Amino acid sequence: MNHHDAKQDATSNSVPPVYDVTEYKRREEELRNQIQELKQLNEQLAARSERNTRILAGMSHEIRTPMHAIMAFAELMEQEILGPLTDKQRDAVGNVRQAGEHLMTLLNDVIDLHRAEVGKLEVHLRPVPVEELIDGAYHIVHGLAWEKQINVRISIEPEDIIVNADEQRTKQVLHNLLSNAINASPQGEEITIQARKTSQEAVISVIDHGPGIPPKYHEKIFEEFAQYNNGAQSSPSGGLGLPVSRNLVELHGGELTVTSELDKGSTFTFTLPLAEENPDQ
C-alpha cells in the first residue's frame, strides 16, 4: 500500500457512523406513550384509593355509632343500673361487651392497615417515658388479665428510659401484644413486660408462657388474618393487630420480631429510638 492509500484508509475509518434518525424518533415516541400510560394508570389508582378511603371512613362512622350504643347499654346492664342480673345474665352481658370491644379494635385495625397501604398512616413523635407507655397499656388490659388470674410482671432497667415515640400509637402496639399474650396464656400463668436500654434504642419485650408458635409461622403471623396450628387442641388465628403493630413500629424506625418455642411460650420484641438528651443545647 502506498502513502496515498494509507492516508485514504485512515480518513475513511475516522468517519462517524450514520444513525437511523427514523428509528430513534420511533423509540422516543414509544417511550413517551409508555410514560403517558403509566401516568394515567397512576392517576386511576390514586382515584380508586381515595374512593376506598372515603368508603372506609363512611363505613367506620356507620359501624361505630351503633357499636358505641351496644357497648354503653352492656356496661349499664353489667353495673345493674337497669336492674339486677343473675350470674348467667351478667356473664352473657359481659360477653356482649367484650365482643363489641373486639369489633371496635378490628375496625380500627382495618382502617390503620388501609392507611399504611396508601402511605397515610402517621406517627407524631415526642419524648415519652417508657414507664408511662407500659403503665398506660397495662391499665387497658388489666381487666382481661384479672379475669384469667394472670399476673403481669413489669421490669424496666433503667427506670428512666425515655423514647422518641407517638404515645397513643405505642400504647396501641403494647395493647395488641399484651392482649395476644393474655389470650395465649393458660389461666393463672404469668406474663412479663421487659424494657431495657442500649446505646441507641429501647428494647421492649412481652413474654408469655403459652403454647408457643412453630418456627415456620414466625413471619406468617405478621400477615393479615394469618392462621396457623401450634399443635394445641385449637388452631389459633391472627387478626390485624400484629401487621398493624409492625407497621407502627417501623414508622418509628424500629422493628418488631418474635422468638417462640412450642410448649415454652413466645417473646415479642420491638425497638424504639431513644429521645435525644438535652435537645435544646
Side-chain angles (χ1 to χ4, degrees), residues 262-279:
L262 287 178
D263 301 323
K264 293 187 178 180
S266 303
T267 299
F268 285 85
T269 300
F270 67 98
T271 58
L272 294 172
L274 295 174
E276 294 183 16
E277 296 184 4
N278 303 321

Side-chain angles (χ1 to χ4, degrees), residues 227-241:
Q227 295 186 347
Y228 64 95
N229 190 332
N230 62 0
Q233 292 181 350
S234 60
S235 297
S237 62
L240 296 174

Side-chain angles (χ1 to χ4, degrees), residues 211-223:
I213 303 166
K216 65 180 180 179
Y217 295 115
H218 286 185
E219 278 303 309
K220 186 175 180 62
I221 59 174
F222 292 102
E223 299 174 4

Side-chain angles (χ1 to χ4, degrees), residues 90-128:
R90 190 176 296 104
D91 289 342
V93 172
N95 289 335
V96 171
R97 177 184 53 78
Q98 290 178 8
E101 291 173 351
H102 176 72
L103 286 174
M104 290 296 291
T105 299
L106 181 60
L107 176 62
N108 292 332
D109 286 344
V110 168
I111 293 172
D112 283 342
L113 193 65
H114 176 72
R115 286 173 177 165
E117 289 176 347
V118 299
K120 292 185 177 181
L121 184 60
E122 298 178 347
V123 291
H124 304 283
L125 308 181
R126 69 174 184 86
V128 187

Side-chain angles (χ1 to χ4, degrees), residues 15-21:
V15 175
V18 177
Y19 292 102
D20 187 340
V21 177

Side-chain angles (χ1 to χ4, degrees), residues 65-78:
T65 302
M67 282 308 306
H68 280 305
I70 291 171
M71 292 164 62
F73 278 113
E75 289 177 5
L76 289 174
M77 293 178 69
E78 272 189 302

